[in-house]
Amino acid sequence: MYDQNSYPNDYQNHNNTNTGYTSANSGYSSYQNTNTGSYQYGNTYPNDYSHMNQKKPKEKKTNGGSGYFKKALAAVSLGLLFGLFAGLGLFVVETVTGTSDSADAQAIEGTAEPQVKETLADAETSGQNGGMDTAQEKAPTVQQTETANMEVYDASEVASKVMPSIVAINNHFTETMSYFGQSITNEEEASGSGIIVGQNDTELLIATNYHVIEGADKLTVQFVEDSEAEASIKGTDPDMDLAVIAVPLEKVDKNTLDQIAVATLGDSDSLVVGEPAIAIGNSLGYGQSVTVGVISALNRTIQLSTGSDGTFIQTDAAINPGNSGGALLNMQGEVIGINSNKIGGSAVEGMGYAIPISAASPIIADLMLKETKNKVAEEERGYLGISGISVTPEVSEAYGMPEGVYIAQVYEGTAAAAAGLQKGDIITAFDGDKITSMDTLQKELEFYAKGQTVEVTVMTVGEGGYREKTVELTLGNKLQ
């Protein structure tokens, strides 16, 4: 019991037996305290609380529970009516749509008669021991088997047939970096793949991507049974990212020659989106691996790093670093494309690209006929005698100039001056190979010795625009 003096003065006038309160200020509604005579309230009520008009709570009617039974009876009646109408509705729907149990049984029997009959027979047997529950468990198994049929392509036979014609290519190159004006060189190695596409009297010919062999100081080829041999560049087409390299037959063991094979080239023009595709290559430099997918799209136009546009096959077969230069195959084991990880990159998963073999075949055939090139020691290399500026595709389009190397200056007493090359001429080809930049020209010169005669194609500006001419010149010594 609290001291009455702790409450407001007029609180004593309040009738303690009145257990129902309504206070707008406190937010309470119909508060009931059954412990009459022992109140525990805070001092938060106003002093004039006793003067508020307080109403007694309404007494609950207790007419012998008749109200409860009426409500229960009404609920049961509504439930029965709902069940009746629901049953009638279901019966009408089944009758109209033909989805009754008998119709289902006929449909299943018509689509999978042998399996269902066997299942029902099992159900009859098991029904003697356990009822129809077993039949109900087995019946869905038949439906799942039929609707989940999915063809899985077995690439093992194709892989075993084609792997002997796929090689790993290792590019040994020198990387030059500049730190605070000082040049630092490091010997590096990169891996790629290649496809054996032919053989002549003295060489084994392998097609690959140009970027796989670009800038190589030395190229080594690893065959299917892990033997290795050194290779040389036969010809290149940087615009199409294609190259052909050659391995002298005298450097290949007889055992290796017995195990390797020349690939069969297919027809990429007859491909259909969705048909299976198999990629084989030297993924990540670990050795040959096989990935399987489908032809996702055809004739994808993508701009290359050189600025030119190319049309490619898109596939979801994984093409990873090291797969470049490898084969994209159909289910007959024919090469339908040359994979290129450089085109797809790793930005998007499930989107690899390959050069269509129908577009690559004529270029590869031409490169196979070129003279094999070997790098010449730096002190023995020939010198052209110009300074030049690259005419990129953007510059070509903006100024109406042919792509190639713009001759900014011709040095006196050099091979270029003797051949009549002039400032303003644009070199477009060197010894039959297309020139697209100053870097390309410099890389070509690494394979030519001083005193060697070559043909250079240039575009000379004149009245009415540029005209093409080819000059023959003999490379000289580097100016001191």
Side-chain angles (χ1 to χ4, degrees):
M1 295 292 292
Y2 288 92
D3 187 355
Q4 293 179 353
N5 292 331
S6 63
Y7 294 97
N9 294 332
D10 56 356
Y11 188 80
Q12 300 174 17
N13 299 325
H14 180 68
N15 185 3
N16 289 340
T17 61
N18 184 3
T19 60
Y21 296 94
T22 303
S23 174
N25 294 333
S26 63
Y28 292 149
S29 177
S30 299
Y31 178 85
Q32 185 173 358
N33 187 346
T34 59
N35 187 11
T36 59
S38 179
Y39 294 92
Q40 297 182 7
Y41 293 105
N43 219 1
T44 59
Y45 297 96
N47 292 333
D48 57 352
Y49 184 81
S50 60
H51 301 292
M52 295 176 63
N53 184 20
Q54 301 176 17
K55 295 181 181 180
K56 293 183 179 181
K58 294 182 180 180
E59 296 181 357
K60 295 182 179 179
K61 295 180 180 181
T62 56
N63 296 328
S66 60
Y68 171 78
F69 288 111
K70 287 181 180 180
K71 291 180 180 180
L73 183 59
V76 171
S77 301
L78 289 174
L80 291 173
L81 286 173
F82 176 78
L84 179 61
F85 284 115
L88 288 173
L90 182 61
F91 176 76
V92 171
V93 171
E94 288 182 347
T95 303
V96 173
T97 60
T99 57
S100 62
D101 293 340
S102 59
D104 288 341
Q106 291 175 2
I108 294 174
E109 187 174 1
T111 56
E113 183 176 353
Q115 293 89 337
V116 173
K117 285 184 177 179
E118 184 179 352
T119 302
L120 293 177
D122 292 342
E124 265 183 87
T125 305
S126 61
Q128 298 174 0
N129 299 324
M132 289 300 294
D133 290 342
T134 307
Q136 292 175 356
E137 290 177 1
K138 288 189 176 181
T141 304
V142 177
Q143 287 183 330
Q144 289 177 2
T145 302
E146 288 193 341
T147 57
N149 279 342
M150 187 164 125
E151 189 173 1
V152 178
Y153 299 105
D154 184 357
S156 58
E157 185 177 347
V158 176
S160 62
K161 173 185 175 182
V162 179
M163 272 186 171
S165 62
I166 308 299
V167 301
I169 299 175
N170 295 313
N171 181 342
H172 306 267
F173 63 97
T174 302
E175 185 178 38
T176 303
M177 297 174 290
S178 179
Y179 289 99
F180 302 101
Q182 299 293 324
S183 294
I184 300 175
T185 59
N186 292 317
E187 293 185 359
E188 302 288 345
E189 182 177 336
S191 298
S193 306
I195 308 166
I196 301 175
V197 291
Q199 178 179 330
N200 58 29
D201 293 338
T202 59
E203 298 168 319
L204 196 63
L205 305 176
I206 300 167
T208 185
N209 289 139
Y210 171 73
H211 75 264
V212 170
I213 56 91
E214 183 180 8
D217 296 324
K218 178 182 176 183
L219 291 172
T220 57
V221 172
Q222 186 177 33
F223 299 100
V224 63
E225 33 60 86
D226 294 335
S227 66
E228 292 187 357
E230 191 170 339
S232 301
I233 294 176
K234 190 79 170 172
T236 63
D237 188 332
D239 279 351
M240 282 291 291
D241 195 25
L242 290 172
V244 172
I245 62 176
V247 177
L249 291 176
E250 60 184 18
K251 294 184 179 181
V252 183
D253 295 336
K254 184 181 183 304
N255 179 51
T256 301
L257 290 173
D258 292 339
Q259 295 190 48
I260 62 176
V262 175
T264 302
L265 304 186
D267 180 14
S268 58
D269 291 338
S270 62
L271 293 176
V272 178
V273 172
E275 71 172 274
I278 303 168
I280 301 181
N282 178 28
S283 181
L284 302 178
Y286 294 150
Q288 289 191 16
S289 63
V290 179
T291 57
V292 179
V294 298
I295 301 298
S296 303
L298 299 170
N299 302 319
R300 287 293 197 212
T301 301
I302 299 175
Q303 188 176 57
L304 303 176
S305 57
T306 58
S308 60
D309 291 336
T311 303
F312 304 95
I313 302 168
Q314 180 183 325
T315 178
D316 66 345
I319 297 176
N320 298 301
N323 279 118
S324 289
L328 187 68
L329 309 163
N330 58 21
M331 292 303 290
Q332 289 71 48
E334 299 171 334
V335 179
I336 55 174
I338 299 177
N339 300 324
S340 180
N341 179 70
K342 185 176 182 180
I343 300 170
S346 57
V348 180
E349 185 177 353
M351 292 177 66
Y353 295 92
I355 303 168
I357 198 63
S358 295
S361 291
I363 298 172
I364 292 172
D366 181 60
L367 297 179
M368 289 169 64
L369 298 176
K370 290 184 175 294
E371 184 179 351
T372 304
K373 301 176 183 177
N374 291 294
K375 279 193 174 182
V376 178
E378 188 172 357
E379 61 274 10
E380 298 295 327
R381 291 176 187 169
Y383 185 69
L384 185 58
I386 66 161
S387 63
I389 303 171
S390 300
V391 181
T392 63
E394 293 79 11
V395 173
S396 173
E397 184 176 355
Y399 297 98
M401 302 168 64
E403 292 181 39
V405 173
Y406 175 86
I407 298 178
Q409 185 176 356
V410 177
Y411 298 104
E412 294 183 4
T414 63
L421 299 183
Q422 299 178 353
K423 178 181 178 179
D425 290 346
I426 298 176
I427 300 175
T428 58
F430 186 88
D431 203 27
D433 290 330
K434 186 177 180 180
I435 300 298
T436 57
S437 66
M438 191 64 186
D439 183 62
T440 306
L441 179 60
Q442 290 172 336
K443 290 183 182 300
E444 282 290 323
L445 286 167
E446 292 177 354
F447 297 96
Y448 294 87
K450 53 189 177 183
Q452 192 170 348
T453 301
V454 296
E455 288 186 344
V456 179
T457 302
V458 297
M459 299 294 290
T460 302
V461 66
E463 293 182 4
Y466 285 91
R467 58 183 181 85
E468 182 179 288
K469 71 175 182 179
T470 300
V471 298
E472 191 175 87
L473 55 82
T474 302
L475 298 174
N477 294 319
K478 184 176 180 179
L479 294 177
Q480 302 296 325

